[in-house]
């Protein structure tokens, strides 16, 4: 298929201001540097799972076009920079791929003609997608969702029978080289266990938690899917993986080295985002600079050996599921 123009820029400034005022939960920016970081993060996730998605058989089956059936649809909820949206559209040219976010990403001038973007708040639900979607992808969206169990019910309602729900979450807890939770120590304790990077990630978690309960959702997604019942989901899966932050392990393959370096680059970019956020929240500039510089040294010089924990959840809607209660 050919390419088509998509809206350029984020959105009209008035619309952005209205959405930002309405949606107070999400604290990270929606500017070009952050979208570049999200591109890097999606590249990282693609390398971790060796592709754009897990539950590969289920995704390919539901996206396979069928005679007499309307065109398959994939939604990328909280699409961020639009990386996954565009790449998925390239990989599946017969599928309509829609990225949805508070802000329309400033993607390259031309994208596949089967790809488009919509701008609205996911906390308003998915009423115009009832029983019409084959795949729903939601990567690192928990913080922006006010009620995640309700959100999962909305996803179930949107999916066609046999449709697949995919979620990805990055754990805010850092882990040591033995994959044990890294305990936060005070900066002036003088303990070898102190880490500026852990300090920064803890501050980010506190800031997110102060905005609402969303950041507490991601460890519970698998259980909540189970609680929805086997009459709704016929396949529920969870894959946990630990990615080194930087190539500090011995005998790493080239793939592992590259993946761990992408993980480190992603964290270094998060440090820079946090620098302005911490200063805006009242942390003195001198303290902010000391923290971010210390965290950067830890990762660049491999002074601290630690892992980032990622959780990948998926579920397949029961093929003979009853019609939506909204119909």
């Amino acid at each position: 298929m050919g390419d088509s123009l998509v809206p350029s820029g984020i959105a009209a400034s008035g619309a952005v201001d209205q959405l930002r005022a309405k949606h107070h939960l999400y604290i990270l920016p929606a500017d070009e540097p952050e979208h570049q970081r999200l591109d890097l993060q999606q590249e990282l996730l693609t390398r971790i799972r060796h592709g754009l998605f897990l539950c590969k058989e289920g995704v390919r089956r539901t996206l396979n076009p069928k005679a007499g059936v309307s065109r398959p649809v994939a939604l990328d909820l909280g699409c961020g920079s639009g990386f996954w949206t565009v790449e998925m559209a390239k990989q599946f040219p017969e599928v309509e791929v829609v990225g949805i976010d508070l802000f329309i990403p400033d993607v390259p001038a031309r994208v596949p003609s089967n790809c488009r973007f919509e701008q609205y708040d996911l906390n308003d639900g998915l009423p115009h997608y009832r029983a019409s979607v084959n795949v729903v992808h939601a990567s690192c969206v928990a913080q922006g969702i006010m009620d995640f169990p309700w959100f999962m019910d909305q996803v179930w309602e949107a999916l066609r029978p046999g449709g697949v729900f995919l979620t990805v979450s990055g754990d805010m807890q850092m882990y040591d080289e033995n994959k044990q939770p890294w305990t936060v120590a005070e900066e002036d304790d003088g303990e070898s266990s102190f880490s500026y990077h852990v300090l920064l990630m803890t501050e980010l978690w506190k800031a997110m938690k102060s905005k609402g309960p969303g950041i507490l959702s991601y460890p519970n997604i698998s259980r909540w899917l189970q609680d929805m019942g086997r009459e709704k989901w016929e396949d529920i899966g969870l894959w946990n993986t630990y990615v080194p932050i930087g190539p500090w392990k011995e005998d790493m393959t080239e793939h592992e080295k590259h993946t761990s370096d992408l993980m480190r680059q992603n964290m270094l970019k998060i440090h820079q985002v946090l620098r302005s956020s911490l200063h805006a929240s009242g942390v003195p500039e001198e303290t902010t600079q000391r923290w971010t510089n210390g965290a950067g040294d830890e990762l660049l010089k491999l002074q601290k050996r630690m892992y980032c924990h990622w959780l990948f959840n998926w579920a397949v809607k029961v093929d003979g599921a009853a019609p939506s209660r909204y119909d």
Side-chain angles (χ1 to χ4, degrees):
M1 290 187 177
D3 295 334
S4 67
L5 292 173
V6 299
S8 171
I10 300 289
S13 59
V16 170
D17 291 341
Q18 290 175 16
L19 278 169
R20 192 179 293 280
K22 175 185 177 184
H23 199 279
H24 61 281
L25 303 177
Y26 196 72
I27 67 171
L28 296 179
D31 55 15
E32 182 61 24
E34 174 62 5
H35 278 180
Q36 290 176 357
R37 184 192 72 80
L38 291 174
D39 278 346
L40 185 148
Q41 181 168 281
Q42 286 298 328
E43 181 185 353
L44 165 68
L45 293 172
T46 300
R47 291 188 67 85
I48 291 173
R49 64 193 164 209
H50 297 276
L52 292 172
F53 48 84
L54 295 179
C55 191
K56 298 183 186 297
E57 182 179 343
V59 170
R60 294 188 183 279
R61 181 176 60 247
T62 191
L63 291 182
N64 183 36
K66 300 175 181 63
V69 179
S70 58
R71 187 182 194 184
V73 175
L75 299 184
D76 186 12
L77 304 184
C79 65
S81 66
F83 179 101
W84 193 92
T85 320
V86 172
E87 293 303 312
M88 197 69 175
K90 292 178 181 177
Q91 187 167 330
F92 294 91
E94 300 302 320
V95 174
E96 180 183 1
V97 186
V98 184
I100 299 175
D101 208 311
L102 281 171
F103 309 103
I104 296 175
D106 192 6
V107 296
R110 305 185 76 85
V111 298
S113 59
N114 59 320
C115 174
R116 61 186 174 86
F117 294 91
E118 296 181 356
Q119 180 185 25
Y120 64 85
D121 188 346
L122 295 174
N123 291 292
D124 293 334
L126 300 167
H128 55 295
Y129 282 109
R130 298 297 179 198
S132 62
V133 178
N134 298 79
V135 169
V136 172
H137 172 257
S139 180
C140 302
V141 301
Q143 186 216 335
I145 304 299
M146 291 184 286
D147 184 342
F148 210 90
W150 170 87
F151 170 72
M152 292 193 300
D153 192 55
Q154 293 292 304
V155 168
W156 188 89
E157 297 284 357
L159 286 169
R160 291 167 172 161
V164 180
F165 177 36
L166 305 165
T167 71
V168 186
S169 305
D171 195 344
M172 301 297 292
Q173 169 72 61
M174 297 295 102
Y175 292 80
D176 65 21
E177 60 185 317
N178 298 310
K179 299 180 182 177
Q180 297 300 310
W182 195 298
T183 304
V184 180
E186 295 295 331
E187 182 180 7
D188 56 0
D189 278 354
E191 297 184 13
S192 60
S193 62
F194 173 74
S195 164
Y196 282 107
H197 174 67
V198 173
L199 172 63
L200 283 179
M201 296 305 292
T202 302
E203 291 298 319
L204 176 59
W205 181 85
K206 289 178 181 177
M208 289 180 170
K209 184 173 179 290
S210 71
K211 295 292 184 179
I215 195 61
L216 304 176
S217 298
Y218 65 85
N220 302 305
I221 293 174
S222 182
R223 175 173 60 83
W224 286 338
L225 287 169
Q226 296 283 352
D227 290 346
M228 291 176 74
R230 287 295 174 179
E231 69 277 8
K232 290 194 171 183
W233 303 111
E234 61 184 1
D235 181 23
I236 299 172
L238 168 63
W239 180 52
N240 292 277
T241 188
Y242 294 82
V243 180
I245 305 176
W248 54 262
K249 292 180 65 178
E250 296 181 1
D251 302 321
M252 298 178 78
T253 66
E254 289 304 312
H255 178 88
E256 291 170 336
K257 289 179 181 178
H258 188 191
T259 303
S260 68
D261 188 55
L262 287 174
M263 185 74 257
R264 174 168 61 179
Q265 291 179 47
N266 189 43
M267 289 300 190
L268 289 170
K269 288 181 180 295
I270 289 177
H271 293 173
Q272 296 310 307
V273 172
L274 277 174
R275 184 167 184 162
S276 58
S277 299
L278 288 170
H279 185 56
S281 67
V283 178
E285 175 62 28
E286 180 181 347
T287 301
T288 299
Q289 184 173 348
R290 184 176 70 255
W291 289 358
T292 53
N293 288 348
D297 283 346
E298 288 177 0
L299 301 191
L300 288 170
K301 299 176 182 179
L302 302 178
Q303 294 172 344
K304 304 290 183 178
R305 297 185 171 191
M306 65 181 72
Y307 288 97
C308 181
H309 175 215
W310 289 92
L311 302 87
F312 297 81
N313 289 272
W314 65 89
V316 179
K317 185 172 181 175
V318 170
D319 204 3
S324 166
R325 66 172 182 269
Y326 295 92
D327 293 341

